[in-house]
């Protein structure tokens, strides 16, 4: 069994025993059987309420240093561990439970324009055991007691590049194709992409800030791929990553791009996660016209400028305790009782996911067919009670089959996700609780080689997400 799963099992047993001994809370109309089931689920996910926690963590990410920093706090008195003799036991417990404490913020980190580390774990592209080994090698500060309290504190610093190194699979970089068209250019020492501020989103009618990821791509305005991880020498990609992120050009930036870099201003941003800068066709030609500049891509001499708030920030992830499972279980029971057709429900890292299969639109448009309205109304009715609690937000994600039209697919998926949001709002739900994204054909659940597979890939996912909290895990 994977290391993290073993640690979760040991921890959950002890936490659950403590948890069940606590004074019962007021859960309103829920039956004792429902409460017991929800407690078991919360214990299995290693989350209990703030009031009942003995250990907590807050995490922040700094892309300039490629680090995830987590501050760990343990209430020794609440844990029932005697001092001073029990300090070593406290430290061992923190070390054992560190993977659980940092798991959720770590899995929320963007890998590229459409995936998080959590997505890669679900797709078996990286394992929880891999991540646990990296967490175990993170640097920890000496533990100390917060003045005047029984809180034992320590800080863990994890190097993100160790995770990025696991995802570099190629052995030899491929060379960017040289376009027929040329432009006046010269050799530079590196490439800087300025993606600061708010930019138009490629293929959408909105604007957004750019966000860092382990492996951003760079595109031109014709959606020609200019730069991505497989163009970089694998040794460079493993040791240094494929880009540096900074908020301003300074002497430290020169170490990567030299004293005479090609400065490019991004025109747009692209991707569901808003990670990929889009540059002009002319700037693309300035790179590809000169052989030395193409070599800069292979050498990973690329820096992306992004706003300071996006580069260094606290990570907030959903808190899923007993009340979440009480409410989500009732939502699941609603769909089972009503027998809503072609709807799949499952718990994810974020929250409860409702996947609507075979949701029919007018061909090549975002307009729902009239016969789909009753099913959308049933979904709106199911969401009404859980959204009325004020503890949830909803993200609607559109997906298409992949028919080799990435830009058109992305646009259509966004428009269809928006159409579903509009339909739910028309049925009386609060529009302020909704966001929507489109992923085009980047997240298939079946083969695009068959009609049945393409039909499965054309779907809409409604994610009911507990509102974020800065306390990433409460144990």
């Amino acid at each position: 069994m994977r290391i993290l799963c073993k640690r979760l099992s040991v921890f959950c047993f002890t936490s659950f025993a403590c948890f069940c001994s606590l004074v019962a809370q007021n859960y309103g109309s829920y039956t004792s059987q429902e409460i017991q089931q929800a407690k078991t689920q919360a214990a299995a996910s290693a989350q209990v309420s703030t009031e009942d926690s003995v250990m907590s963590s807050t995490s922040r990410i700094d892309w300039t240093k490629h680090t995830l920093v987590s501050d760990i706090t343990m209430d020794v008195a609440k844990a029932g561990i005697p001092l001073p003799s029990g300090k070593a036991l406290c430290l061992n417990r923190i070390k054992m439970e560190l993977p659980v404490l940092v798991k959720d913020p770590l899995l929320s980190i963007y890998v590229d324009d459409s995936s998080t580390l959590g997505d890669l774990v679900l797709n078996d592209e990286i394992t929880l055991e891999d991540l646990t080994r990296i967490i175990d090698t993170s640097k920890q500060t000496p533990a100390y007691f917060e003045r005047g309290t029984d809180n034992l504190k320590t800080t863990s610093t994890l190097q993100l590049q160790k995770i990025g190194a696991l995802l570099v699979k190629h052995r030899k970089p491929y060379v960017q194709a040289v376009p027929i068209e040329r432009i006046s250019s010269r050799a530079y020492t590196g490439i800087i992409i300025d993606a600061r501020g708010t930019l138009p989103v490629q293929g959408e009618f909105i604007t957004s800030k750019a966000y860092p990821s382990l492996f951003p791509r760079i595109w031109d305005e014709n959606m020609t791929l200019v730069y991505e991880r497989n163009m970089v020498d694998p040794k460079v990609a493993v040791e240094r990553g494929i880009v540096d992120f900074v908020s301003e050009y300074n002497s430290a930036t020169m170490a990567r791009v030299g004293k005479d870099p090609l400065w490019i201003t991004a025109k747009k941003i692209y991707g569901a996660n808003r990670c990929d800068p889009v540059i002009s066709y002319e700037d693309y030609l300035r790179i590809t016209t000169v052989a030395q500049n193409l070599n800069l891509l292979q050498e990973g001499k690329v820096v992306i400028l992004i706003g300071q708030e996006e580069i260094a920030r606290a990570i907030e992830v959903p808190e899923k305790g007993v009340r979440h499972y009480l409410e989500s279980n009732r939502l699941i029971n609603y769909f089972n009782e009503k027998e809503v057709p072609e709807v799949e429900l499952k718990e994810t890292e974020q929250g409860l996911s409702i996947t609507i299969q075979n949701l029919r639109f007018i061909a090549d448009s975002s307009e729902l067919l009239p016969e789909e309205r009753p099913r959308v109304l049933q979904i709106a009715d199911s969401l009404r009670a859980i959204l009325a609690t004020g503890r949830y937000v909803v993200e609607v994600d559109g997906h298409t089959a992949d028919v080799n039209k990435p830009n058109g697919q992305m646009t259509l998926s966004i428009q269809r996700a928006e159409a579903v949001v509009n339909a739910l709002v028309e049925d009386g739900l609060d529009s302020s609780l909704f966001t929507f994204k489109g992923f085009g054909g980047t997240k298939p659940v079946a083969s695009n080689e068959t009609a049945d597979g393409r039909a499965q890939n054309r779907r809409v996912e409604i994610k009911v997400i507990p509102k974020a909290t800065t306390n990433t895990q409460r144990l």
Side-chain angles (χ1 to χ4, degrees):
M1 185 181 292
R2 292 173 179 169
I3 294 171
L4 180 56
C5 295
K6 289 181 180 178
R7 294 187 183 182
L8 278 170
S9 298
V10 173
F11 168 72
C12 290
F13 177 81
T14 56
S15 289
F16 185 54
C18 295
F19 188 41
C20 288
S21 67
L22 297 169
V23 177
Q25 300 183 46
N26 178 19
Y27 289 116
S29 62
Y30 294 100
T31 66
S32 59
Q33 184 178 358
E34 288 176 314
I35 294 171
Q36 186 64 34
Q37 180 187 5
K39 285 181 178 180
T40 302
Q41 291 170 294
S45 68
Q47 291 211 19
V48 297
S49 68
T50 307
E51 295 79 9
D52 305 327
S53 64
V54 297
M55 198 177 300
S56 65
S57 71
T58 60
S59 295
R60 57 193 181 276
I61 193 167
D62 187 343
W63 286 96
T64 61
K65 301 176 182 177
H66 295 275
T67 57
L68 176 71
V69 180
S70 300
D71 296 321
I72 314 298
T73 303
M74 182 176 185
D75 189 327
V76 178
K78 188 179 288 187
I81 299 175
L83 292 175
S85 60
K87 186 173 181 180
L89 177 61
C90 293
L91 296 176
N92 287 335
R93 182 168 174 181
I94 289 174
K95 184 174 180 60
M96 183 184 74
E97 294 167 4
L98 186 61
V100 183
L101 288 159
V102 304
K103 173 178 70 73
D104 283 354
L106 186 61
L107 294 181
S108 72
I109 290 172
Y110 292 154
V111 175
D112 53 34
D113 61 341
S114 62
S115 301
T116 63
L117 277 174
D119 293 326
L120 267 55
V121 170
L122 291 174
N123 294 333
D124 292 324
E125 296 177 52
I126 192 170
T127 68
L128 289 174
E129 185 175 2
D130 293 330
L131 297 178
T132 299
R133 282 196 292 266
I134 292 173
I135 293 169
D136 283 341
T137 63
S138 61
K139 183 179 179 181
Q140 279 188 249
T141 61
Y144 66 95
F145 280 96
E146 193 174 20
R147 180 174 296 181
T149 73
D150 293 315
N151 294 332
L152 186 66
K153 306 194 77 170
T154 184
T155 298
S156 167
T157 301
L158 183 151
Q159 295 294 327
L160 296 179
Q161 191 48 43
K162 291 184 178 181
I163 298 173
L166 293 178
L167 300 172
V168 176
K169 306 294 186 182
H170 65 287
R171 296 183 179 181
K172 186 178 180 180
Y174 75 89
V175 179
Q176 171 68 280
V178 178
I180 296 174
E181 191 172 353
R182 316 286 283 177
I183 196 172
S184 177
S185 186
R186 63 177 177 85
Y188 293 91
T189 60
I191 299 170
I192 293 179
I193 310 292
D194 188 347
R196 291 175 294 188
T198 301
L199 297 168
V201 178
Q202 174 72 19
E204 304 177 39
F205 300 103
I206 58 175
T207 59
S208 175
K209 293 180 179 179
Y211 294 92
S213 67
L214 291 174
F215 300 109
R217 299 178 179 94
I218 298 172
W219 307 79
D220 80 354
E221 55 197 335
N222 299 320
M223 297 312 293
T224 300
L225 187 56
V226 181
Y227 185 62
E228 57 109 1
R229 78 176 90 170
N230 294 313
M231 294 179 186
V232 183
D233 183 302
K235 184 178 180 181
V236 173
V238 166
E239 294 179 356
R240 302 178 57 196
I242 68 169
V243 301
D244 278 349
F245 292 100
V246 297
S247 58
E248 59 183 19
Y249 181 72
N250 53 38
S251 57
T253 310
M254 286 186 197
R256 185 138 199 163
V257 295
K259 296 181 179 180
D260 183 28
L262 170 60
W263 191 291
I264 296 172
T265 300
K267 300 300 180 184
K268 296 180 181 179
I269 203 72
Y270 177 72
N273 294 333
R274 315 306 193 211
C275 298
D276 296 355
V278 178
I279 65 176
S280 70
Y281 181 63
E282 288 76 15
D283 285 327
Y284 161 63
L285 291 177
R286 287 187 177 90
I287 296 172
T288 54
T289 292
V290 179
Q292 292 95 319
N293 293 339
L294 282 174
N295 289 337
L296 298 176
L297 303 180
Q298 184 172 318
E299 295 164 2
K301 293 188 175 181
V302 179
V303 165
I304 299 178
L305 295 177
I306 291 182
Q308 181 60 37
E309 291 183 359
E310 288 68 55
I311 284 183
R313 60 181 178 82
I315 297 183
E316 298 183 349
V317 294
E319 178 187 353
K320 297 192 294 183
V322 176
R323 193 168 292 279
H324 164 74
Y325 287 103
L326 285 170
E327 292 161 347
S328 65
N329 288 343
R330 282 213 170 166
L331 188 58
I332 292 170
N333 290 337
Y334 173 95
F335 280 94
N336 291 337
E337 292 170 2
K338 297 292 184 180
E339 297 182 347
V340 181
E342 296 187 275
V343 172
E344 177 188 358
L345 285 84
K346 63 181 179 181
E347 275 286 347
T348 67
E349 289 289 338
Q350 284 186 296
L352 185 65
S353 175
I354 305 168
T355 300
I356 312 171
Q357 299 284 2
N358 197 29
L359 189 62
R360 292 168 296 172
F361 296 82
I362 294 174
D364 296 322
S365 84
S366 59
E367 185 177 348
L368 279 165
L369 289 173
E371 49 265 41
E372 288 292 351
R373 291 296 293 141
R375 187 155 56 138
V376 174
L377 179 59
Q378 281 184 303
I379 293 170
D381 286 341
S382 73
L383 295 175
R384 208 174 308 280
I386 196 168
L387 294 184
T389 66
R391 288 188 288 273
Y392 295 85
V393 293
V394 179
E395 178 185 305
V396 179
D397 297 340
H399 301 268
T400 67
D402 187 358
V403 293
N404 296 317
K405 297 179 180 178
N407 205 23
Q409 290 163 193
M410 183 67 73
T411 301
L412 185 61
S413 67
I414 294 164
Q415 291 172 343
R416 288 183 170 179
E418 184 180 20
V420 171
V421 170
N422 291 338
L424 293 170
V425 171
E426 286 176 12
D427 288 330
L429 300 182
D430 184 353
S431 62
S432 67
L433 299 178
F434 286 84
T435 59
F436 60 90
K437 290 183 178 180
F439 291 86
T442 62
K443 293 191 174 186
V445 294
S447 170
N448 283 292
E449 301 302 316
T450 66
D452 181 61
R454 290 190 294 273
Q456 292 181 59
N457 291 332
R458 289 190 291 267
R459 67 197 189 280
V460 172
E461 296 177 4
I462 300 173
K463 296 178 180 177
V464 184
I465 304 170
K467 288 183 177 178
T469 171
T470 54
N471 277 2
T472 56
Q473 281 281 0
R474 297 192 169 88
L475 305 178

